[in-house]
Amino acid sequence: MSSPSGPRRNSSASLRRALAVVELVRSTPPEHGGATLTELAEGLGVNKSTVLRLSAPLVEYGLLTRDPRSGRFRVGGAALLLWQSYLDHMDLRSVASEHLRGLMRRTGHTCHLVLLDGHDVVYVDKVENTATVRMSSRIGARMPAYRTAVGRAILAFGPDDLVADVVAAGLPAVTARTVTDPGVLAEELRRVRERGYAIDDRENEPEVRCVAAPIFDHNRDPVAAISVSSLVSQMPVARVRGLGPEVAAVAARVSAQLGGRVVDTAAGGRGVP
């Protein structure tokens, strides 16, 4: 007589193999036009009849489709509905919160999460290391995007017309180091795209350095940025070189949870002043 746990174990194994079918179909290069029955059987290490049995409910519920002529399996429309439901329940601040706190613990610097709103960035979360000097930034505050690391991290990957609008609105200086020349700003945005992160070296506040990286949504649009900020005495240039890739890596993990793109940070800090 079989144990009560037997059927449950069998069902669990079948579910895992069915999910493996979906993963194999999903990972098939688009130019192949789908996965064949033979490819799925070989990939799972089972016979074709087992693949047909596992795939039948997946096709029935629309997670997979099967071309009636070629017999190839493709991901179905129901998968998109599941993905959209996941995104609908995803809140940027909630997703980024633990990442932001981890970044603060590792770096010892104040960390921010900002959103782009018009030509400005708006601070929506802040995690401060109370053992160090407090930053004057506050949740809800707005700053012009062109003179902040978080703003330039977003602008660098945004549409050209957005940058043109920002420049047309003016680039007034607030410190002796603020970039006010459109050509210099364009070059800095190019460097941000190259290395994957942006730097504000006393351009927004006289004694503050900031390192930031963009966050992308599922449409691959740069919608937010995270940063670490500190007084220049606490964040020397050599420290900036190490922080840049770390901030970019954290931003990439947040982007991945949102279904967004991941910026290649292999440049590893080239172009840091």
Side-chain angles (χ1 to χ4, degrees), residues 25-235:
V25 174
R26 185 204 64 79
S27 61
T28 301
E31 60 270 22
H32 291 184
T36 66
L37 182 61
T38 299
E39 289 170 341
L40 293 177
E42 292 176 351
L44 289 174
V46 299
N47 56 47
K48 294 179 180 179
S49 61
T50 298
V51 173
L52 290 174
R53 177 175 58 81
L54 294 170
S55 64
L58 299 173
V59 172
E60 179 183 352
Y61 283 94
L63 291 172
L64 296 180
T65 63
R66 192 178 188 193
D67 189 289
R69 288 175 295 180
S70 68
R72 290 180 177 269
F73 290 88
R74 302 185 183 92
V75 175
L80 179 60
L81 295 177
L82 286 175
W83 180 238
Q84 188 59 55
S85 178
Y86 169 76
L87 294 173
D88 288 343
H89 290 85
M90 187 65 67
D91 174 71
L92 173 61
R93 187 173 176 183
S94 297
V95 170
S97 177
E98 190 53 39
H99 294 285
L100 215 60
R101 280 151 181 75
L103 184 61
M104 184 278 290
R105 289 191 292 269
R106 291 192 300 276
T107 65
H109 298 307
T110 296
C111 298
H112 297 100
L113 172 68
V114 309
L115 297 175
L116 184 69
D117 184 22
H119 298 165
D120 299 336
V121 289
V122 179
Y123 291 80
V124 296
D125 202 358
K126 176 182 181 180
V127 182
E128 195 158 31
N129 184 344
T130 56
T132 61
V133 178
R134 289 180 176 272
M135 295 288 98
S136 61
S137 56
R138 58 182 176 79
I139 295 175
R142 303 174 70 92
M143 289 289 174
Y146 74 91
R147 69 180 195 231
T148 63
V150 281
R152 290 208 288 251
I154 299 172
L155 291 177
F157 295 91
D160 293 339
D161 56 353
L162 172 60
V163 178
D165 288 347
V166 168
V167 170
L171 308 173
V174 293
T175 77
R177 299 180 64 88
T178 305
V179 171
T180 59
D181 184 309
V184 175
L185 178 62
E187 173 61 17
E188 178 56 27
L189 296 181
R190 184 196 65 77
R191 294 169 73 197
V192 173
R193 288 190 292 272
E194 179 183 75
R195 66 194 174 206
Y197 59 89
I199 300 166
D200 157 17
D201 187 10
R202 295 165 285 172
E203 296 177 50
N204 193 52
E205 296 180 74
E207 296 300 322
V208 174
R209 281 196 178 108
C210 181
V211 182
I215 293 172
F216 298 88
D217 68 6
H218 63 285
N219 292 318
R220 300 175 66 85
D221 294 325
V223 294
I226 61 170
S227 70
V228 294
S229 303
S230 189
L231 296 178
V232 293
S233 59
Q234 302 294 318
M235 190 187 289

